């Protein structure tokens, strides 16, 4: 994807005045805890209930690459920050240097659309994001909405769109010079993904790693969850649950767990 020309808007800098309306960041702590401590013991009956849904979510994400347009917006803001930061780490705006600045940033971005034009067209939809600036670096959470955001998927150029809410967590504070894509990135997507003439309703948290591994968080209840992963260094597909990590095949409807026993559904 081409580099975006994306000036950001500082809602406030070095402390927000009470009159500045900064939307509250979502609380993602329960999701982050679920990724670190999955507490379900996965067996055949659980995969029988959830296997098809996991496959559908992965297929939709794989076709639309619904998170990529959002990542490009965040990366572009990071690049703009890098270009306006001097060698001492000060943010320089209109000739004024702000050391270790804190504040809030808002983005209103017109999506790339389905054509080859370089001109921003509001008909392609928008992404509106809020992020924080903490000590000169982006804060760990970015959040906002997409309004019928049209884009072409990178691999097959599928005509895709996302319409809904998004929250992104990328670990601790990110140095301005460090690429977002090198971090462990957690998404919460709520809304509609579209590709070609299909529409897929999504209310899902996923996690991306630099190795190419994609984790899908499967929540059985308010406090019960396990992870189904794709790619990575160990298995092509598999489960991370209360017992550890083991390999699975959705196509063959079969898993081999940590004890070496195989179960199917």
């Amino acid at each position: 994807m081409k580099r975006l020309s994306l000036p950001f808007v500082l809602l406030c800098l070095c402390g927000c005045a009470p009159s500045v309306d900064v939307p509250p960041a979502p609380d993602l702590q329960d999701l982050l805890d679920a990724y670190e401590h999955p507490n379900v013991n996965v067996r055949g009956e659980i995969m029988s209930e959830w296997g098809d849904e996991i496959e559908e979510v992965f297929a939709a994400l794989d076709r639309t690459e619904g998170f990529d347009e959002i990542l490009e917006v965040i990366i572009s803001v990071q690049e703009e920050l890098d270009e306006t930061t001097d060698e001492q780490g000060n943010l320089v705006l209109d000739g004024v240097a702000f050391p270790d600045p804190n504040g809030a940033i808002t983005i209103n971005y017109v999506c790339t659309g389905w054509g080859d034009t370089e001109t921003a067209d509001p008909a392609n939809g928008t992404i509106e994001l809020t992020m924080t600036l903490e000590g000169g670096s982006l804060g760990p959470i970015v959040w906002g909405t997409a309004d019928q955001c049209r884009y072409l998927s990178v691999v097959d150029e599928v005509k895709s769109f996302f319409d809904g809410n998004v929250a992104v967590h990328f670990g601790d504070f990110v140095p301005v010079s460090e690429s977002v894509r090198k971090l462990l990135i957690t998404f919460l997507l709520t809304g509609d993904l579209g590709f070609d003439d299909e529409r897929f309703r999504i209310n899902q948290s996923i996690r991306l790693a630099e190795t190419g591994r994609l984790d899908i968080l499967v929540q059985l209840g308010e406090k019960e969850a396990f992870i189904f992963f794709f790619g990575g260094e160990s298995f092509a597909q598999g489960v991370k649950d209360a017992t550890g990590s083991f390999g699975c095949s959705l196509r063959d409807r079969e898993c081999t767990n940590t004890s070496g026993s195989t179960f199917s559904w």
Side-chain angles (χ1 to χ4, degrees), residues 24 26 36 46 61 93 103 109 120 131 147 152 158 184 189 203 208 212:
E36 296 304 317
I46 291 178
L61 291 170
L93 299 175
Y109 161 69
M131 55 192 73
D147 182 11
L152 293 175
V158 175
L184 193 64
L189 302 170
N203 182 8
L208 301 176

Side-chain angles (χ1 to χ4, degrees), residues 99-243:
D100 298 323
N102 299 296
I105 300 171
T106 186
I107 305 297
N108 191 313
Y109 161 69
V110 177
C111 297
T112 51
W114 299 332
D116 297 326
T117 178
E118 295 288 328
T119 304
D121 185 350
N124 292 329
T126 58
I127 295 174
E128 295 184 5
L129 296 177
T130 300
M131 55 192 73
T132 56
L133 191 61
E134 304 180 17
S137 300
L138 293 181
I141 301 177
V142 176
W143 69 99
T145 60
D147 182 11
Q148 298 291 334
C149 178
R150 297 178 179 179
Y151 56 94
L152 293 175
S153 63
V154 175
V155 178
D156 298 321
E157 294 197 336
V158 175
K159 290 183 178 180
S160 305
F161 75 85
F162 176 58
D163 182 56
N165 299 318
V166 60
V168 188
H169 184 277
F170 45 90
D172 296 329
F173 302 143
V174 184
V176 173
S177 59
E178 184 175 356
S179 172
V180 169
R181 292 187 184 275
K182 294 181 180 179
L183 304 173
L184 193 64
I185 309 170
T186 304
F187 285 85
L188 177 60
L189 302 170
T190 305
D192 292 307
L193 281 174
F195 41 91
D196 297 330
D197 295 325
E198 299 181 50
R199 179 181 289 260
F200 182 83
R201 186 67 181 171
I202 189 167
N203 182 8
Q204 185 65 55
S205 178
I206 61 173
R207 175 172 279 185
L208 301 176
E210 186 183 8
T211 59
R213 171 168 158 160
L214 183 148
D215 292 346
I216 294 177
L217 185 68
V218 183
Q219 295 179 285
L220 280 61
E222 187 175 343
K223 296 294 184 180
E224 297 179 302
F226 70 93
I227 294 164
F228 198 96
F229 60 82
F230 296 84
E233 298 173 351
S234 300
F235 306 104
Q237 296 179 12
V239 163
K240 180 182 178 184
D241 72 354
T243 68

Side-chain angles (χ1 to χ4, degrees), residues 38-79:
N39 57 6
V40 173
N41 192 352
V42 175
R43 292 292 182 265
E45 58 271 19
I46 291 178
M47 288 304 301
S48 178
E49 180 179 357
W50 291 95
D52 289 346
E53 182 171 330
I54 293 169
E55 196 164 18
E56 288 175 3
V57 169
F58 177 73
L61 291 170
D62 190 47
R63 287 194 68 187
T64 65
E65 299 171 323
F67 40 78
D68 206 68
E69 189 88 347
I70 295 164
L71 275 184
E72 286 296 327
V73 175
I74 297 171
I75 290 169
S76 292
V77 172
Q78 190 180 49
E79 290 173 343

